[in-house]
Amino acid sequence: MSPSSSLPFATRVVATAGHVDHGKSTLIHALTGTDPDRFPEEKARGLTIDLGFGFADLDHFRVGFVDVPGHARFIRNMLAGVGAVECVLLVVAANEGWMPQTAEHVQILQLFDIQHGVIALTKADLVDEEELVLAQLEVGERVAGTPLSSWPVVPVATHAGTGLDELREALDDALASSLPPLNLHRSRLWVDRSFAVKGAGTVVTGTLTLGPLAINDDVIIEPIGRRVRIRGIQSGHVGCERAEPGTRVALNLVGVEHDEISRGDAVVGPDVWTTSSVVDVDVQLVANGPALPANTSVTVHVGSSERSARWSRLDADRCIGRLRFAAPVALQPGDRMVLRSSARKAVVGGAVVLEVAAGGSRRDAVERSTLPVLERVTSAHPWLTVAELIRLGGFDPTTIETLLIDATQAGRIQLIDGMCVPPDVLAALQRAAIEVVRRHHETHPDSPGLPIAELQRALGIDAQRARAIVEHSRRQPAQSSDMLTIHHDLVSRTDHALVVADTPEGRRLLHALRAQPFNPPSPAELDVPMRVVRLLERDNLVVEYSDVWFAQEAIEAAHRIVGEAVLNRGTLTVGEIRDLLGSSRKFVIPIVQSLDSAGITRRRGDTRIPGPAATSVLD
């Protein structure tokens, strides 16, 4: 494990999820060139039993994939694979659709609060055009109302190689939209493998959820409490001097044998962790799941670990209670875990850690987490989300709101879109943003606005915080020249206007979309910049559904034509809707989605029936 100066680009981690035999391992093999099934039994049976791994290079990230088993009998290994990641590739086979383990895996992703990912609709070559449309619509309906509803659905035929480039692009975008963990100098790596390498000694691998770690660092192996030294580091099969949080990492350790370390152990920085066998948690029970009676045994999954604990309830009104483990665990407030019934082996719910080393009655976080502590945290890390603040400061998630109200009223911080920022930092960034946009308008008077990516680079912050600055400026009393607005990805002053429909590019796009209302060409095919498209959307001249752009009047016409037909016939298949409009599969999916969302149609089995708004087309 020889070091190199740096990685070629950012390394991140993506886990798979999905029902058995839906093609997860085959897909990872196609993306990485590595067969994630490591054991002869897996290869012989064609069934993933344990975690598998592989790496692939996207445009902006090197991805470490963690492939998980899909069979119900190996759910504990699946939990170990997804417990430490922030992005997931959910796999659903187009020829089978939503299955029991799909539903259970999605439930687990929600309990771990995984917000970012992509849905791959595999085996797309095994169904016909209409069946593929139905499979895409079913996935959309199943994830409606969950964070997964914003994940792109990408049809893939793995063996044929079709859809793989689109999947890589979607994964790259998903990783770009998910913020990596902050570098809080509070390291923790959840171990998923420990083995010996000839000539090197003990090597452990896992996801570095908190960091950083560097060569020659001293670290502690929990729960055995052994202090060891890091001899070497690899991330993405590349040697490096230092590993950052949110990456897949292999550590060569000195001072411990590989068989002394097990999956679920944690490698943590010394002198910054208070490990404890007693923690207080806030539990969210799953609907129609097993009960959680007082003084009962539960199996706790956190990171890559699986631990037995005893549950006792502390609050009569809320499901707040105490977990007592047999051995200490490296946890901190804000950590998420999944609880399973020890008796029924079924998921009970998800939990958030409130307090570590709990004792006596639950303490009031406002008493132990004073404003000076909050000030020290925000001074060291001047712009944090509330979740990051909880993790860094060790605050109680159930009472952090009271502390933040006190700090806001005292003028110590400002809350913007769920983030905490000192007022002077916010004011400086807002002045800088206004100046950057002003210079852009002076240099490019015909431009509708500055891309948000350029603004964030100029300010040295990420897109989430750049957007928050723009939105905050709109809410402040100021001259129009000092107020910013954002339309999708373009930032401009509120007094800067441009009539796009009268430009050559705007006229060209509108003419083409109106000429082929239900089979519209893409803006890229017409060489129309996305900034022009977004401004036409702002003016309600075009509309987007599932990355397809239509003229606004085309969607209105589709609603009228299909609405009248479904009222007259009683039912319509997706194929009949396609034929009715003279459309194709690529375009009928977003059109049907617009019909469903508008209430013109409603799904019943494989058909569409009149929705609550169907009669509105007759007005």
Side-chain angles (χ1 to χ4, degrees), residues 276-516:
S276 175
S277 58
V278 182
V279 297
D280 287 349
V281 295
D282 188 354
V283 176
Q284 172 195 352
L285 297 175
V286 301
N288 303 315
L292 188 60
N295 195 31
T296 188
S297 294
V298 293
T299 302
V300 180
H301 298 266
V302 57
S304 61
S305 72
E306 175 184 345
R307 303 290 181 90
S308 295
R310 200 77 186 171
W311 157 266
S312 57
R313 193 158 183 157
L314 297 176
D315 192 301
D317 298 322
R318 298 175 58 189
C319 199
I320 291 176
R322 181 161 293 157
L323 292 172
R324 298 181 183 275
F325 296 93
V329 190
L331 297 175
Q332 64 178 2
D335 280 342
R336 288 188 171 269
M337 51 183 62
V338 170
L339 309 183
R340 297 172 70 217
S341 167
S342 297
R344 295 180 54 186
K345 306 300 182 185
V347 173
V348 175
V352 179
V353 175
L354 301 179
E355 186 175 352
V356 178
S361 61
R362 266 183 84 246
R363 292 175 289 172
D364 188 337
V366 176
E367 294 178 0
R368 63 184 174 88
S369 303
T370 61
L371 288 177
V373 174
L374 181 67
E375 287 181 4
R376 287 198 297 272
V377 173
T378 54
S379 294
H381 307 278
W383 197 327
L384 298 170
T385 66
V386 173
E388 292 163 348
L389 183 63
I390 290 170
R391 289 198 300 267
L392 179 59
F395 300 117
D396 186 334
T398 63
T399 54
I400 189 69
E401 182 178 355
T402 302
L403 179 62
L404 293 178
I405 290 174
D406 291 344
T408 303
Q409 291 176 343
R412 313 288 177 85
I413 63 168
Q414 284 189 253
L415 288 176
I416 305 173
D417 296 341
M419 294 179 283
C420 313
V421 56
D424 57 335
V425 173
L426 176 62
L429 284 171
Q430 190 166 320
R431 288 194 298 271
I434 291 169
E435 178 61 19
V436 169
V437 175
R438 183 191 66 78
R439 289 199 303 266
H440 176 80
H441 286 323
E442 287 184 353
T443 308
H444 307 282
D446 294 331
S447 167
L450 176 73
I452 187 71
E454 293 185 24
L455 178 62
Q456 71 183 76
R457 284 195 292 270
L459 299 179
I461 57 178
D462 58 65
Q464 180 184 7
R465 288 161 173 81
R467 287 179 184 276
I469 288 174
V470 175
E471 293 295 334
H472 182 71
S473 77
R474 295 174 59 188
R475 297 191 288 266
Q476 306 306 303
Q479 299 291 328
S480 59
S481 60
D482 290 334
M483 295 175 64
L484 303 178
T485 185
I486 184 169
H487 182 71
H488 287 281
D489 294 331
L490 294 176
V491 182
S492 62
R493 292 200 317 252
T494 55
D495 63 348
H496 182 77
L498 186 65
V499 182
V500 185
D502 290 336
T503 64
E505 294 166 328
R507 287 194 297 270
R508 184 166 70 251
L509 178 61
L510 288 174
H511 175 77
L513 296 185
R514 289 163 178 166
Q516 302 179 70

Side-chain angles (χ1 to χ4, degrees), residues 122-153:
T122 55
K123 306 187 181 183
D125 53 339
L126 301 184
V127 297
D128 62 26
E129 183 177 301
E130 186 164 333
E131 288 171 327
L132 185 57
V133 170
L134 290 171
Q136 290 177 268
L137 292 172
E138 182 193 23
V139 168
E141 292 173 357
R142 295 283 190 174
V143 301
T146 75
L148 281 72
S149 62
S150 64
W151 296 11
V153 180

Side-chain angles (χ1 to χ4, degrees), residues 120-199:
L121 198 60
T122 55
K123 306 187 181 183
D125 53 339
L126 301 184
V127 297
D128 62 26
E129 183 177 301
E130 186 164 333
E131 288 171 327
L132 185 57
V133 170
L134 290 171
Q136 290 177 268
L137 292 172
E138 182 193 23
V139 168
E141 292 173 357
R142 295 283 190 174
V143 301
T146 75
L148 281 72
S149 62
S150 64
W151 296 11
V153 180
V154 183
V156 178
T158 308
H159 291 295
T162 58
L164 291 176
D165 288 342
E166 291 80 0
L167 182 60
R168 292 185 184 97
E169 183 179 353
L171 284 167
D172 207 44
D173 291 343
L175 289 168
S177 65
S178 66
L179 294 174
L182 283 181
N183 189 337
L184 302 177
H185 297 279
R186 183 178 170 84
S187 306
R188 180 178 61 189
L189 177 138
W190 290 107
V191 175
D192 50 41
R193 285 192 298 165
S194 177
F195 51 91
V197 174
K198 187 175 181 179

Side-chain angles (χ1 to χ4, degrees), residues 207-273:
T207 297
L208 185 60
T209 55
L210 297 168
L213 289 174
I215 289 178
N216 292 323
D217 278 356
D218 286 338
V219 291
I220 306 294
I221 308 297
E222 296 291 356
I224 65 174
R226 179 77 58 82
R227 193 180 187 103
V228 301
R229 180 175 61 85
I230 299 176
R231 174 188 287 161
I233 300 176
Q234 280 190 1
S235 184
H237 295 314
V238 178
C240 52
E241 298 282 350
R242 172 186 169 104
E244 299 297 335
T247 59
R248 179 105 190 124
V249 176
L251 303 177
N252 181 199
L253 302 177
V254 178
V256 65
E257 297 298 321
H258 75 91
D259 54 6
E260 296 180 84
I261 307 174
S262 304
R263 174 177 293 173
D265 289 352
V267 179
V268 300
D271 308 320
V272 294
W273 286 87

